[in-house]
Amino acid sequence: MNVTTSDITPEWAPDPSVLPGWFAEALAVPREEGIVTVDGVRMHYFRWGNPAAPPVLMTHGFLSHARCFAFVAPFLARDYHVVAYDLSGMGDSDVRADCDMAARGREMIGVAEALGLLGHARKPIVAAHSFGSAVALEALELAPATFGGAVICDMMVLRPSELEKYKSNGRTSPGSGDPNRPHRRYPDYPNARARYVLSPPQPVGEPFLMDYMAYHALRREGINWTWKFSPAVFKRDNSQRLWLEIGPRLIAATGRKAIIHGEKSQLFTRDSRQYLRELGGEDIPIIAVPEARHHLMLDQPLAFTAALRAVIEDWSTGD
């Protein structure tokens, strides 16, 4: 077990005494940090709780990392075996060559298998944010009997007309970028931190969490600082066609599904709820977190955690 409070460093938290008690206590919950190899690629993960408990598998959004759940998972650790991992090419996982969505779906299944989540009497529940939710959807389609359900957290689901409006404002699809553009290097941490922004752009309800996420998205390289993620992750199909298919695919995927989204999100809106109902998703619970935008764990971390825990507990009791 590593010492979890090492996440709190002077670079991003010069005065730890101002951090809220719930956050410091969450990071003090014992966790395991390690590496597993999935299809030849080293994958970084965190693990909380008793491996004999019902399993929960978490993953993050595009260019993010597993620590977006590091202050959420501890609230589940008493009753569940929780694993959060870095997608390949992001966080502290190695990059995977030719990593399309099918490869990422297989990767999720491989992480669950490598860490023993598939050997439990209860199938693992997946909780994934944004791009990670699209990965979860791929995994559900590839292996529909493998998982016990998926909690989809603010994945972009817009009806075709709303997607057109979204893109007409000059916005690009989530995850757009140039795979051939090398990372910039910054002379010190403050300069690097200043370049950390969210996509889509938004203020955050808890700025200290933005600092926390930014610090762990960066790494030292000699005397400079640069990003952990690999530019190679942009080498993928990110066409509008794929985003138009998300809603129907979500409805068609087998198994239990629930959606948690920010009430003020640009990517999952009040109309998104209606759109999914029209597609046949009347039985999918949809929970809006008040005062939260797309990055809902940075806006309302405790409310988001409560919603997530409620869904998982309801499904576990139902089992």
Side-chain angles (χ1 to χ4, degrees), residues 193-209:
R193 169 65 184 87
R195 300 299 299 169
Y196 183 83
V197 296
L198 299 177
S199 180
Q202 65 160 85
V204 295
E206 298 291 353
F208 78 93
L209 290 176

Side-chain angles (χ1 to χ4, degrees), residues 86-302:
D86 290 328
L87 295 165
S88 59
M90 305 180 206
D92 293 304
S93 289
D94 290 347
V95 68
R96 184 179 300 279
D98 302 319
C99 192
D100 59 11
M101 290 303 290
R104 291 201 180 279
R106 293 191 296 271
E107 185 175 271
M108 176 175 279
I109 297 165
V111 169
E113 183 175 19
L115 291 171
L117 274 62
L118 304 187
H120 197 276
R122 291 185 179 175
K123 296 176 182 178
I125 292 170
V126 177
H129 179 239
S130 191
F131 177 77
S133 294
V135 175
L137 179 57
E138 191 76 31
L140 291 180
E141 293 171 339
L142 288 170
T146 298
F147 298 101
V151 187
I152 304 298
C153 303
D154 219 283
M155 179 171 65
M156 185 168 81
V157 181
L158 299 173
R159 72 170 75 235
S161 59
E162 292 299 309
L163 183 60
E164 285 294 337
K165 289 180 186 177
Y166 180 85
K167 298 194 74 172
S168 69
N169 291 326
R171 303 184 182 102
T172 58
S173 297
S176 300
D178 183 356
N180 298 312
R181 180 180 177 182
H183 282 321
R184 289 188 61 184
R185 275 134 179 89
Y186 304 95
D188 51 39
Y189 175 70
N191 273 281
R193 169 65 184 87
R195 300 299 299 169
Y196 183 83
V197 296
L198 299 177
S199 180
Q202 65 160 85
V204 295
E206 298 291 353
F208 78 93
L209 290 176
M210 181 79 159
D211 293 333
Y212 171 68
M213 290 297 294
Y215 178 75
H216 291 287
L218 290 154
R219 60 182 171 84
R220 283 191 179 92
E221 192 171 86
I223 62 172
N224 298 319
W225 288 76
T226 192
W227 305 108
K228 286 183 176 180
F229 75 85
S230 168
V233 299
F234 293 118
K235 190 178 181 181
R236 64 189 187 89
D237 184 358
N238 194 30
S239 63
Q240 184 164 334
R241 173 187 59 82
L242 295 179
W243 292 106
L244 289 171
E245 294 173 352
I246 285 289
R249 287 176 59 205
L250 180 58
I251 299 302
T254 59
R256 293 178 299 195
K257 292 156 288 188
I259 294 170
I260 301 175
H261 70 98
E263 189 175 53
K264 297 182 177 180
S265 174
Q266 300 176 49
L267 304 187
F268 193 100
T269 65
R270 184 183 296 270
D271 183 71
S272 300
R273 175 192 293 259
Q274 179 60 31
Y275 175 48
L276 289 182
R277 298 296 187 239
E278 293 169 11
L279 290 174
E282 297 88 352
D283 60 336
I284 298 177
I286 300 177
I287 303 166
V289 177
E291 298 302 313
R293 295 173 176 81
H294 175 62
H295 298 271
L296 62 178
M297 67 278 291
L298 307 185
D299 287 326
Q300 298 292 329
L302 296 181

